[in-house]
Amino acid sequence: MSTPSGSRDWPRVQLHVVTGKGGTGKSTVAAALALGLASQGQCVLLCEVEGRQGIARMFDVDPLPYDETRIATGLVHDGEQPGSVHALNIDPEAALLEYLAMYYKLGRAGRALDRFGVIEFATTIAPGVRDVLLTGKVFEAVRRNSRNKGARQYDAVVLDAPPTGRITQFLNVSEQVAGLARMGPIKSQADTMMTLFRSPRTAVHLVTICEEMPVQETTDGIAELRAARLPVGGVIINQLRPRDLPPEQLAAARAGTLDRTVIAKDLTRVGVDADDELLDGLLAEAADHAERRALESTQHRLLSDLDTPTYELPRLPGGVDLGALYELAATLKEQGLA
Amino acid sequence: MSSARARPRTHPRVGPLAAHPHGSPALDVDALLDDRETGIIVCCGAGGVGKTTTAAALALRAAERGRRVVVLTIDPARRLAQSMGIEELDNTPRPVVGVSPQGTSSTDQPDDQPDEPGRLDAMMLDMKRTFDEVVEAQASPEKAAQILANPFYIALSSSFAGTQEYMAMEKLGQLHRDAKQSGSHDLIVVDTPPSRSALDFLDAPERLSSFLDGRFIKLMLAPARGPARLLSAGFSLVTGALTKVIGGQMLADVQAFVAALDTVFGGFRQRAQQTYALLQARGTAFLVVAAPEPDALREAAYFVERLAGDGMPLAGLIVNRAGTPPSESLSAEAALAAAERLRAEDPDPASTDSASTDSASTDSDSGEDGHADLTAGLLRLHADRARLVSREQQLRDRFSAAHPGVATVVVPALAGDVHDLTGLRRIGALLARE
């Protein structure tokens, strides 16, 4: 192992933002990261902001309310008390009402806002406000203050964030409100949030698969994050193909020079009927696999050149269930992300 | 109903159990593209399933089969956009170079077909520009200038979470009107925005309408229309609260924006409704694009149900990025067992797991040597593929059991990305099962 088990690359990070192109498995990675951190004994909050109820499905629990709910326990580690994963489905309307209740004593006026469609306007139509409400709640969870009495304190918050193409805009709350609020409480609150998001206590991790478009988007995403002075964390390379053949055999498989008779002999020896259909099939699969592995390696090299730590997760042919999440969590922990 | 189980079954079985595995009918893409009645094809589905590529491939294939096509893409990959000549965002369809319509140059062109040869124009959606054009078309020049300069409008037109969906709809409506007037195109292929949910695209006009009809707008317009007695009680409460939270300046911006837009609201709503009706009309075909993954298929299922509920014509389901089924019949379990036996007889089996260092961060395969390992490796690869394909098959079976009758085509995952017309042609051929 490159990193001894237990050594962690991001010990100071309190807010892990996990983004990635659609279809790369960012929600899976966010969940596995939360479990991995819980397996270090941490108390973790896993947040989702897109209203998909993806966390509930992954952890096989009832749909999440706008309320922090305990959903899983970390693996026992060195006989220490395991940590836990809590989850929160951040709904912008509920976040706005909570924000108003926390910061403004509006009373009847607060209810009137709802009745006159102001809440709906703010959360669905008003530009940028939705994002600010979502990030605002995340910020509140990371930096619990005296206004939220009795709330649980977390060691780490993992955010299953919007996709790579939108992540910089999403986190760049100062920019978002700049066009709307040039001064006043909203402006200063956005600036405080920005200070946390730009600090070393935040890390934005990017999930990708080893294909051209997602890798390109990851590269672009990192450049945008850096331009906005947001801290780039690690790149998680997800769904890597199996590594069952060494390079020289991959090369031979591509060239079509694998020794058919040797393979036939091996198969016959262990009682498999090595007919032409099977041999043709295995060799064709090997050639196809080798071609895809070569493309994977090309993209992998591009990712290695990015000057960010990389982490690797295998493609799971059986899909991702709760058991698989624990396995992925262990892998991330071994590699030092969690 | 427990007695029903004991009785011999005399009725045909209904419900999910009635569906055969692999029971979906095949989607005939060429028939859809060749049908002159098909005027609009909308590709929708979750993000990351290859919607844009699918839309471009369908458009190219239709053009090369003689249709006059325009394809509206939302956010194509850079190299694909370059190959289609649309890397410039100018919100206008541009001809794609390199399209070779079937038969137009050859002599076997039937004489009884006087149509123009097929061609393909492509464009990329410019959200802000489209919004500006709507405003300019609906308002007087002075009013339009006032709206375009409003800070609230500037933010709304470039970042509102639903603007892209609404503008994609708007642009589709425009393209349709232009094509009808000038006869320039007879098929429009639309890619949909990478939304949080595939349904956002359909909901955009409704959301806009309900916002425009909402009490919020009335509230904002109240001062402009003089004291509204009915509102006044709540009004001062609400404006007071708003001023406290967002400040008077922002409230004034919003009010100015709403007041300026008031005159163009009617036009906005009417256009949104027209486009929605267009989607329900004959000649529109929805293709739901998915990948063989639970999330993507769940989105696809929502979409299929929603389309049925709204009376919108579903043409079929495209399952992209599917694993290729192995040609040989050896099961995954048998392959793994055989690989295990080979491993067991390996004289030096310990060399693999424990000694391989840094397996996480190097890009090489595990350091197995010897030839029995080659065979074992091939068997494991085979098992991996067989399990992947069988899981995908199971997911698709479940989909077709719940949604029987949805015509489906499965497109195998290509090794590399598509970024030229040759690649698009290849996808087109796979879509048509050539």
Side-chain angles (χ1 to χ4, degrees):
Chain A
M1 296 304 117
S2 56
T3 33
S5 196
S7 125
R8 298 169 53 209
D9 296 352
W10 312 95
R12 293 179 59 202
V13 171
Q14 287 174 289
L15 173 59
H16 295 270
V17 179
V18 181
T19 183
K21 182 173 157 50
T24 57
K26 76 178 164 64
S27 301
T28 306
V29 172
L33 175 58
L35 269 180
L37 293 168
S39 299
Q40 312 270 5
Q42 297 198 26
C43 180
V44 185
L45 181 68
L46 173 61
C47 301
E48 71 178 319
V49 292
E50 293 178 286
R52 283 182 211 261
Q53 291 291 349
I55 297 177
R57 272 195 292 271
M58 280 186 288
F59 286 87
D60 205 9
V61 295
D62 287 339
L64 298 169
Y66 182 74
D67 196 12
E68 291 154 34
T69 314
R70 183 180 171 123
I71 55 164
T73 305
L75 291 175
V76 180
H77 172 64
D78 294 341
E80 281 171 40
Q81 185 79 9
S84 55
V85 179
H86 298 247
L88 176 64
N89 169 28
I90 304 182
D91 165 64
E93 280 199 23
L96 178 55
L97 292 171
E98 186 189 38
Y99 165 81
L100 291 175
M102 220 184 266
Y103 285 89
Y104 303 94
K105 304 253 172 295
L106 291 179
R108 271 178 62 221
R111 286 191 296 280
L113 286 180
D114 200 8
R115 203 151 40 82
F116 278 90
V118 176
I119 303 291
E120 192 204 349
F121 171 79
T123 52
T124 62
I125 311 276
V129 174
R130 190 186 176 91
D131 287 352
V132 174
L133 288 167
L134 298 171
T135 44
K137 179 61 195 174
V138 173
F139 173 82
E140 191 273 324
V142 177
R143 306 237 346 235
R144 285 269 132 105
N145 63 31
S146 53
R147 287 176 197 266
N148 195 350
K149 288 195 182 61
R152 183 182 296 276
Q153 302 271 349
Y154 295 99
D155 301 310
V157 173
V158 177
L159 172 63
D160 179 0
T164 315
R166 249 178 44 74
I167 189 63
T168 300
Q169 190 194 11
F170 181 76
L171 293 174
N172 213 344
V173 280
S174 289
E175 198 97 321
Q176 295 236 23
V177 301
L180 303 173
R182 283 173 289 267
M183 55 196 78
I186 293 192
K187 170 87 173 80
S188 66
Q189 280 158 4
D191 290 345
T192 318
M193 281 157 62
M194 216 53 220
T195 309
L196 169 70
F197 296 159
R198 284 191 170 139
S199 77
R201 282 173 297 163
T202 298
V204 184
H205 307 296
L206 298 98
V207 183
T208 186
I209 51 179
C210 257
E211 285 177 17
E212 204 174 317
M213 223 170 16
V215 168
Q216 182 64 52
E217 238 179 68
T218 303
T219 313
D220 295 348
I222 289 176
E224 282 170 29
L225 286 166
R226 286 190 175 144
R229 292 186 287 128
L230 288 161
V232 175
V235 169
I236 297 99
I237 310 173
N238 197 16
Q239 297 174 16
L240 281 171
R241 289 168 191 283
R243 304 286 171 90
D244 286 302
L245 299 181
E248 59 277 17
Q249 288 176 355
L250 283 174
R254 282 189 88 184
T257 56
L258 286 176
D259 194 334
R260 191 179 172 101
T261 47
V262 168
I263 299 165
K265 244 197 260 168
D266 284 342
L267 289 172
T268 313
R269 206 167 64 241
V270 291
V272 176
D273 182 14
D275 56 10
D276 279 345
E277 187 212 3
L278 178 60
L279 285 170
D280 289 345
L282 288 178
L283 290 173
E285 277 169 23
D288 182 66
H289 172 75
E291 191 192 346
R292 284 164 203 255
R293 283 277 285 107
L295 289 164
E296 210 177 81
S297 301
T298 312
Q299 298 302 320
H300 199 289
R301 270 193 296 279
L302 292 175
L303 291 170
S304 309
D305 292 345
L306 283 179
D307 194 26
T308 47
T310 57
Y311 306 87
E312 302 185 350
L313 293 173
R315 183 178 75 180
L316 301 174
V320 178
D321 56 11
L322 186 53
L325 278 185
Y326 275 99
E327 277 172 36
L328 295 176
T331 310
L332 290 179
K333 197 176 141 191
E334 233 165 55
Q335 296 181 20
L337 179 67
Chain B
M1 292 300 284
S2 60
S3 62
R5 219 176 292 157
R7 276 205 311 266
R9 202 166 44 236
T10 52
H11 305 290
R13 209 170 213 180
V14 293
L17 286 176
H20 291 275
H22 325 294
S24 330
L27 172 64
D28 188 343
V29 166
D30 281 346
L32 179 70
L33 298 180
D34 291 346
D35 184 353
R36 299 281 151 163
E37 289 263 295
T38 309
I40 296 175
I41 293 177
V42 185
C43 297
C44 45
V49 297
K51 274 194 303 263
T52 305
T53 309
T54 302
L58 286 169
L60 178 63
R61 189 168 180 87
E64 299 197 330
R65 295 177 71 86
R67 303 292 304 263
R68 286 168 295 123
V69 189
V70 56
V71 58
L72 169 60
T73 64
I74 306 297
D75 189 16
R78 209 171 301 151
R79 286 177 67 185
L80 179 63
Q82 275 165 4
S83 75
M84 299 179 79
I86 52 168
E87 68 271 44
E88 292 291 324
L89 258 174
D90 66 356
N91 219 22
T92 312
R94 297 284 168 204
V96 176
V97 180
V99 179
S100 31
Q102 258 175 10
T104 46
S105 57
S106 67
T107 47
D108 58 4
Q109 169 85 4
D111 294 328
D112 59 344
Q113 204 180 325
D115 291 3
E116 299 177 48
R119 64 191 178 85
L120 176 60
D121 291 346
M123 66 166 291
M124 186 154 72
L125 178 72
D126 181 338
M127 178 171 80
K128 172 138 179 57
R129 190 113 139 209
T130 306
F131 209 148
D132 291 354
E133 284 167 8
V134 175
V135 171
E136 281 160 355
Q138 297 289 321
S140 63
E142 308 87 71
K143 204 93 182 173
Q146 207 185 333
I147 296 173
L148 297 186
N150 184 291
F152 198 80
Y153 170 80
I154 295 170
L156 178 74
S157 59
S158 46
S159 75
F160 163 40
T163 305
Q164 208 177 29
E165 283 81 6
Y166 176 67
M167 290 307 137
M169 284 284 230
E170 170 61 32
K171 196 73 207 175
L172 169 62
Q174 278 180 22
L175 287 173
H176 182 73
R177 279 191 297 275
D178 293 352
K180 234 175 157 182
Q181 264 171 23
S182 68
S184 55
H185 301 100
D186 60 15
L187 176 64
I188 305 170
V189 181
V190 205
D191 173 22
T192 50
S195 313
R196 179 173 54 94
S197 149
L199 297 176
D200 283 358
F201 178 68
L202 290 179
D203 289 333
E206 172 59 33
R207 213 161 40 202
L208 185 87
S209 264
S210 76
F211 164 62
L212 296 180
D213 287 331
R215 305 191 67 173
F216 179 75
I217 294 297
K218 295 200 182 81
L219 179 74
M220 288 293 112
L221 287 173
R225 284 175 179 166
R229 262 166 294 135
L230 284 175
L231 290 171
S232 58
F235 178 72
S236 57
L237 257 181
V238 170
T239 43
L242 281 174
T243 312
K244 194 165 160 191
V245 178
I246 63 177
Q249 177 59 47
M250 182 168 159
L251 187 63
D253 281 348
V254 173
Q255 269 172 336
F257 170 65
V258 170
L261 268 186
D262 189 33
T263 47
V264 301
F265 279 171
F268 258 69
R269 186 165 28 241
Q270 203 188 351
R271 287 160 84 104
Q273 281 162 355
Q274 274 170 3
T275 313
Y276 204 72
L278 186 61
L279 294 177
Q280 290 171 314
R282 223 180 128 79
T284 299
F286 280 86
L287 285 172
V288 177
V289 187
E293 288 297 328
D295 288 344
L297 282 171
R298 192 179 306 109
E299 283 288 311
Y302 286 148
F303 217 102
V304 165
E305 284 158 22
R306 172 66 190 273
L307 290 174
D310 284 16
M312 291 184 174
L314 171 68
L317 171 73
I318 296 172
V319 181
N320 274 334
R321 304 164 167 271
T324 315
S327 59
E328 62 276 32
S329 49
L330 186 69
S331 74
E333 293 71 25
L336 283 179
E340 227 14 75
R341 285 199 294 279
L342 281 171
R343 199 184 151 94
E345 66 175 37
D346 190 322
D348 186 20
S351 66
T352 40
D353 285 357
S354 53
S356 104
T357 56
D358 213 3
S359 65
S361 57
T362 59
D363 187 34
S364 76
D365 288 75
S366 55
E368 296 185 37
D369 42 20
H371 289 287
D373 285 338
L374 165 63
T375 310
L378 292 180
L379 287 165
R380 280 197 301 271
L381 281 179
H382 170 71
D384 184 76
R385 177 183 291 220
R387 282 166 63 192
L388 188 79
V389 167
S390 102
R391 170 171 162 271
E392 290 180 0
Q393 180 66 52
Q394 198 181 4
L395 288 167
R396 281 193 284 121
D397 285 348
R398 272 189 219 157
F399 181 92
S400 67
H403 305 277
V406 176
T408 304
V409 61
V410 178
V411 180
L414 296 186
D417 274 10
V418 170
H419 25 60
D420 53 17
L421 296 189
T422 313
L424 288 178
R425 262 182 214 115
R426 194 166 155 214
I427 300 273
L430 289 168
L431 282 164
R433 295 196 173 78
E434 247 172 29

